[in-house]
Amino acid sequence: MKKAFRYLLLIVSVLVVAICGFASFVAVRGIPKYKPQNVSLAISATPVRIAKGQKLASMLCSSCHLDPKTGKFTGRQMAEAPQFGTVYSRNITQDPVHGIGKWTDGQLVYLLRTGIKPDGTFLPVMAKLSHMSDEDINSIIAFLHSDHPWIQADTTQHPASEYSFLAKFITTIGAVKPGEFPTNVIAGPDTTDKVQWGRYIALNQVECYSCHSKDFTKNDYSVPEKSAGFFGGGNKMMDPAGHEIYTANITSDKETGIGNWSESDFVKAVKYGQVPSGRHLRIPMAPYANLSDNEARAIYAYLKTVPKINNKVDRKL
Ligand code: HEC
Ligand code: HEC
């Protein structure tokens, strides 16, 4: 009996040492690095692409990179998701030193698809658009080269991000990992099929699910449908004043989601931030004024096909 106890103690001690060792390894090593792939590519900035890229940037990049103080994509602190640490989005204006003026199109595409920078740094909080169509990605890059005021050279600089232990841990165990760099051409969605079109916008283009599922750290960026609490809301964020705000359940559950909303209620909420009760949605749910009505309707049609989740979110309204 005594012997058994000694063995048990030994096993427990070994486990404790191993866990502590792993924890210090994670804390010291930080976010893992990856070897970036060389992509050679030159994207022609046609007016059609620039216009499309501007629309996409207004719905996606701007939410994290636009600083209202400079009116440009000079980056800011990502205070809405403190669980990742003290993270700053970067200056992505055309400044060659402080911005991305020297990046090649290949480096930009690789980062946008995978989240990996040319020096191998992996950015867990940055969007990973691995399923976006080639044409959409190319349009974003065409826009980044355009003369739009958001991206004109600016010398703003931010301190290096300090990632939390949680961010280091989930990237070390691979729960959050780089997006896959596509090996085949990715075509855009069939826009005559409303559900497919809406799915593309909500998952691959504007990524509504990333905020609207249960927890940023439990999202599956390669197969979004496998994210915990997919579209069932309850993801804790911070509003600009530092108050907790929980994302809404936007599955069609009648009791706790938006199952009772009409298509026009939905379009009004998503595009103009106004919900049926007359209340206005709060930041970080920025109105998607640049979505066309048909795009917003397509998202509605797609959300109707998402499994309902009964999850009452305390919205603190
Ligand atoms: C969810 C927030 C988020 C979204 C959306 C987002 N980014 Fe980022 N991005 C970040 C963060 C955070 C970093 C920097 C992280 C760090 O350095 O620790 C970053 C870094 C970058 C960098 C690297 C810059 C450098 O010098 O290191 C580029 C380029 C970039 N983003 C472009 C874009 C573009 C283009 C879009 C729109 C398609 C976009 N991002 C959308 C959060 C975001
Ligand atoms: C940056 C995170 C974020 C993104 C991205 C986001 N949302 Fe939201 N959304 C929220 C938050 C937070 C709320 C709750 C706002 C409030 O309570 O005032 C919300 C509320 C909503 C509501 C209101 C539901 C209700 O019951 O009141 C709808 C509808 C909605 N979002 C749809 C969308 C759609 C569609 C997309 C993609 C086009 C999207 N959201 C992208 C964070 C986000």
Side-chain angles (χ1 to χ4, degrees), residues 12-136:
V12 170
S13 322
V14 169
L15 273 178
V16 168
V17 170
I19 292 170
C20 292
F22 181 65
S24 11
F25 164 75
V26 169
V28 173
R29 201 263 323 247
I31 310 282
K33 280 199 158 202
Y34 293 84
K35 196 171 155 19
Q37 206 171 299
N38 272 331
V39 181
S40 66
L41 181 84
I43 292 158
S44 62
T46 60
V48 173
R49 278 191 177 146
I50 293 175
K52 190 173 196 190
Q54 179 182 330
K55 172 172 165 174
L56 291 173
S58 77
M59 298 191 293
L60 189 60
C61 325
S62 75
S63 64
C64 295
H65 287 276
L66 179 66
D67 182 351
K69 285 190 232 102
T70 59
K72 291 183 184 177
F73 283 5
T74 48
R76 60 176 178 85
Q77 193 185 332
M78 305 293 307
E80 61 268 56
Q83 60 271 50
F84 289 97
T86 310
V87 177
Y88 298 85
S89 64
R90 300 281 143 210
N91 177 341
I92 59 165
T93 68
Q94 292 162 356
D95 188 276
V97 180
H98 304 97
I100 55 169
K102 282 197 187 135
W103 289 47
T104 66
D105 288 356
Q107 289 171 332
L108 284 170
V109 166
Y110 197 72
L111 173 81
L112 290 178
R113 293 284 195 200
T114 64
I116 302 173
K117 289 198 349 176
D119 67 0
T121 310
F122 172 51
L123 307 176
V125 180
M126 165 66 189
K128 290 163 273 295
L129 307 167
S130 43
H131 305 297
M132 192 181 253
S133 76
D134 291 352
E135 193 47 36
D136 281 356

Side-chain angles (χ1 to χ4, degrees), residues 77-247:
Q77 193 185 332
M78 305 293 307
E80 61 268 56
Q83 60 271 50
F84 289 97
T86 310
V87 177
Y88 298 85
S89 64
R90 300 281 143 210
N91 177 341
I92 59 165
T93 68
Q94 292 162 356
D95 188 276
V97 180
H98 304 97
I100 55 169
K102 282 197 187 135
W103 289 47
T104 66
D105 288 356
Q107 289 171 332
L108 284 170
V109 166
Y110 197 72
L111 173 81
L112 290 178
R113 293 284 195 200
T114 64
I116 302 173
K117 289 198 349 176
D119 67 0
T121 310
F122 172 51
L123 307 176
V125 180
M126 165 66 189
K128 290 163 273 295
L129 307 167
S130 43
H131 305 297
M132 192 181 253
S133 76
D134 291 352
E135 193 47 36
D136 281 356
I137 286 273
N138 294 350
S139 300
I140 291 172
I141 291 171
F143 165 74
L144 293 174
H145 294 312
S146 73
D147 57 7
H148 193 279
W150 280 341
I151 42 170
Q152 295 319 298
D154 186 290
T155 55
T156 302
Q157 257 183 305
H158 299 285
S161 298
E162 279 180 37
Y163 286 95
S164 63
F165 181 79
L166 176 66
K168 293 173 184 171
F169 181 72
I170 57 179
T171 49
T172 299
I173 62 168
V176 172
K177 55 178 189 296
E180 290 126 50
F181 191 76
T183 46
N184 298 319
V185 171
I186 305 185
D190 172 1
T191 54
T192 60
D193 177 338
K194 251 181 157 181
V195 171
Q196 199 204 110
W197 191 17
R199 178 183 181 280
Y200 177 78
I201 302 168
L203 306 191
N204 305 147
Q205 204 183 40
V206 193
E207 299 196 320
C208 316
Y209 82 96
S210 75
C211 287
H212 278 281
S213 299
K214 189 177 185 175
D215 182 339
F216 282 125
T217 64
K218 294 186 179 141
N219 281 343
D220 187 326
Y221 293 95
S222 31
V223 189
E225 286 89 346
K226 287 193 186 158
S227 300
F230 186 59
F231 279 115
N235 185 12
K236 181 165 122 183
M237 299 186 75
M238 293 288 169
D239 74 5
H243 302 123
E244 287 177 2
I245 178 162
Y246 291 80
T247 63

Side-chain angles (χ1 to χ4, degrees), residues 220-295:
D220 187 326
Y221 293 95
S222 31
V223 189
E225 286 89 346
K226 287 193 186 158
S227 300
F230 186 59
F231 279 115
N235 185 12
K236 181 165 122 183
M237 299 186 75
M238 293 288 169
D239 74 5
H243 302 123
E244 287 177 2
I245 178 162
Y246 291 80
T247 63
N249 178 346
I250 55 170
T251 67
S252 301
D253 185 61
K254 284 198 187 306
E255 193 197 337
T256 63
I258 56 167
N260 293 321
W261 287 28
S262 69
E263 184 184 70
S264 62
D265 290 339
F266 181 81
V267 173
K268 211 164 145 195
V270 175
K271 290 188 60 173
Y272 308 110
Q274 204 182 353
V275 296
S277 66
R279 203 175 56 77
H280 280 274
L281 292 172
R282 298 160 295 179
I283 299 288
M285 174 68 198
Y288 289 88
N290 288 344
L291 278 178
S292 69
D293 285 5
N294 281 339
E295 286 172 321

